[in-house]
Amino acid sequence: MAEQDTGRQRFINSPLKTKKRVYREVENPLWWAYTKILREHDKTKKTYAVNPYAEVYQFRTNLFGIYTESLDGMGDPWMFLIEGPEKAFLIDTGFGIGNLPGLLKEIIGGKPVIVANTHAHFDHAYGNFWFDKVYCHEYEAPLLTSKMDPHIWDYLFDETGRGRWCDFDKADLVPFRKYEICGVPDGYKFNLGGDYEIELIFLPGHSPGHAAFLDRQNRIFFAGDDACVGTTGIMGIFGAPEDTPYREHVTVESLRNELARVIKRSNEFDGVFPSHGIVDTGVIVLSNLLETCDKVLENPKNYDIRNENDIGLTGSKSVFYGKMVSMSGYLIYSANSVYMGRKIAIE
Ligand SMILES: [Zn+2]
């Protein structure tokens, strides 16, 4: 997975203030084609002067997708905004680039907003500092707390202060300040007024307390990074550092257990919205992924692809394996992210 400059990736016309320079992921043809059509031709797309880093798409009457470009060369993250009768619900906060509260105000007026994270990673939670209080699954709270640090964005810049992977104005990053992290259990319901509820559903794997969200009114399941079309990564060190509480859930086994539970409830939703790439997809994404989880658990040595990665932070090499997911891409895993509570030797 070598870095490559933008010249080697195919072009998508973008009005955003972020200017990508280097990609850290090999171009995924599915994502590229989908994203190009969406970003260049979708009729609901809007941009607002208050935040030149975001494109806003309207997927349902009261459901908006906020698209921002990744600042660190990885996949561009989605945020989702659901407008209820009295309150709105924001899923994820991006990297913290651009005025997010100002943008929400443009979309839904002054309605109060409940903010929740699928997980604590940079591209989903670093914009939390715009808000006073952010919800997450209780097992994700320790990891999210570890990001309460004014230096979390340092890795984005080189010695000269220029963005390593992307050019943007540093002054447009959210100012650091403490906010309240509120960890809640599986099944917790957020009331948006009347009987409009959003349910948090524990769906670990990508991180220890990764959460999905169910909007029963729109019949939509927001899958976070645990069921992306293309690549789903259940990768030890990238999921959470070794000593993170509940890290046994950064495993294919834990994802498999909870995914099976979600699929049993698939009479409650039709649309599946992952946090990267292709959205408004269906339950088949989840069932195909479950099938692949079962294959990996049955024999982790029977992988389809193998990748070696430099872990910049530790200086050590990490090996990742990929098992093909039907009609999607790969489930990526490592030796310490297959079974709960034990590391195995894959080769
Ligand atoms: Zn992500």
Side-chain angles (χ1 to χ4, degrees):
M1 283 192 256
E3 301 204 343
Q4 54 184 256
D5 64 40
T6 49
R8 291 187 54 204
Q9 306 272 109
R10 282 171 290 182
F11 183 73
I12 293 176
N13 190 21
S14 164
L16 300 184
K17 200 171 168 183
T18 30
K19 298 293 169 222
K20 289 193 179 189
R21 295 198 291 120
V22 178
Y23 287 97
R24 286 205 281 168
E25 286 179 308
V26 175
E27 185 182 78
N28 177 311
L30 270 179
W31 282 25
W32 180 82
Y34 177 88
T35 311
K36 183 165 178 81
I37 292 169
L38 181 87
R39 295 186 65 190
E40 295 186 355
H41 302 288
D42 189 273
K43 290 191 172 60
T44 72
K45 178 181 158 180
K46 280 187 184 164
T47 49
Y48 296 90
V50 68
N51 186 336
Y53 292 95
E55 296 168 8
V56 179
Y57 297 85
Q58 187 167 10
F59 291 117
R60 300 288 188 273
T61 312
N62 68 331
L63 167 62
F64 303 88
I66 302 173
Y67 189 96
T68 57
E69 291 189 330
S70 169
L71 301 185
D72 73 359
M74 308 295 278
D76 299 339
W78 281 106
M79 298 172 234
F80 297 106
L81 180 68
I82 304 156
E83 186 177 6
E86 288 160 27
K87 290 177 186 170
F89 191 74
L90 179 68
I91 299 173
D92 286 339
T93 60
F95 276 91
I97 187 78
N99 181 348
L100 186 53
L103 181 69
L104 300 183
K105 209 167 173 201
E106 291 280 352
I107 307 170
I108 52 161
K111 230 171 223 183
V113 182
I114 301 169
V115 183
N117 290 146
T118 56
H119 61 299
H121 292 168
F122 38 83
D123 48 341
H124 302 270
Y126 284 11
N128 287 359
F129 303 94
W130 287 115
F131 305 97
D132 295 328
K133 181 178 187 171
V134 178
Y135 291 87
C136 64
H137 183 267
E138 55 194 350
Y139 290 179
E140 195 74 357
L143 187 60
L144 191 53
T145 304
S146 75
K147 315 268 186 179
M148 196 72 87
D149 175 348
H151 294 289
I152 53 174
W153 296 278
D154 289 358
Y155 81 108
L156 294 171
F157 304 97
D158 64 17
E159 313 72 49
T160 68
R162 188 180 181 191
R164 278 180 204 278
W165 301 283
C166 178
D167 285 324
F168 59 94
D169 191 342
K170 201 173 183 175
D172 293 330
L173 279 174
V174 58
F176 175 82
R177 67 181 179 110
K178 294 218 160 158
Y179 63 91
E180 186 189 347
I181 293 170
C182 194
V184 295
D186 176 48
Y188 186 88
K189 293 194 173 91
F190 301 90
N191 187 283
L192 306 188
D195 60 358
Y196 204 125
E197 286 178 334
I198 304 293
E199 180 181 343
L200 181 148
I201 296 177
F202 180 47
L203 187 62
H206 186 70
S207 71
H210 182 286
F213 297 94
L214 178 63
D215 172 353
R216 228 174 264 108
Q217 264 79 353
N218 277 321
R219 296 185 56 82
I220 287 174
F221 181 75
F222 296 92
D225 277 9
D226 258 327
C228 292
V229 180
T231 304
T232 292
I234 313 299
M235 306 182 289
I237 190 148
F238 284 126
E242 207 71 62
D243 54 354
T244 307
Y246 311 109
R247 194 167 175 279
E248 68 275 16
H249 291 289
V250 186
T251 51
V252 175
E253 183 178 3
S254 189
L255 169 63
R256 194 252 166 245
N257 293 343
E258 304 309 318
L259 199 54
R261 209 170 51 102
V262 169
I263 292 170
K264 279 198 187 121
R265 294 182 61 182
S266 59
N267 59 328
E268 295 174 61
F269 57 91
D270 309 300
V272 173
F273 281 63
S275 290
H276 293 277
I278 300 171
V279 295
D280 216 348
T281 177
V283 180
I284 191 158
V285 169
L286 307 181
S287 39
N288 286 344
L289 182 62
L290 180 69
E291 198 183 284
T292 301
C293 288
D294 281 333
K295 283 182 193 162
V296 171
L297 293 170
E298 202 182 290
N299 183 7
K301 294 183 178 179
N302 192 19
Y303 51 85
D304 294 313
I305 52 167
R306 180 187 183 279
N307 259 317
E308 248 173 64
N309 241 18
D310 284 319
I311 305 293
L313 303 169
T314 61
S316 62
K317 277 222 185 286
S318 228
V319 183
F320 298 105
Y321 307 90
K323 186 76 184 162
M324 203 175 281
V325 182
S326 177
M327 293 193 292
S328 170
Y330 293 95
L331 172 66
I332 307 287
Y333 57 96
S334 51
N336 62 349
S337 69
V338 177
Y339 302 110
M340 295 176 75
R342 67 190 166 101
K343 188 177 166 157
I344 50 166
I346 292 187
E347 51 199 87

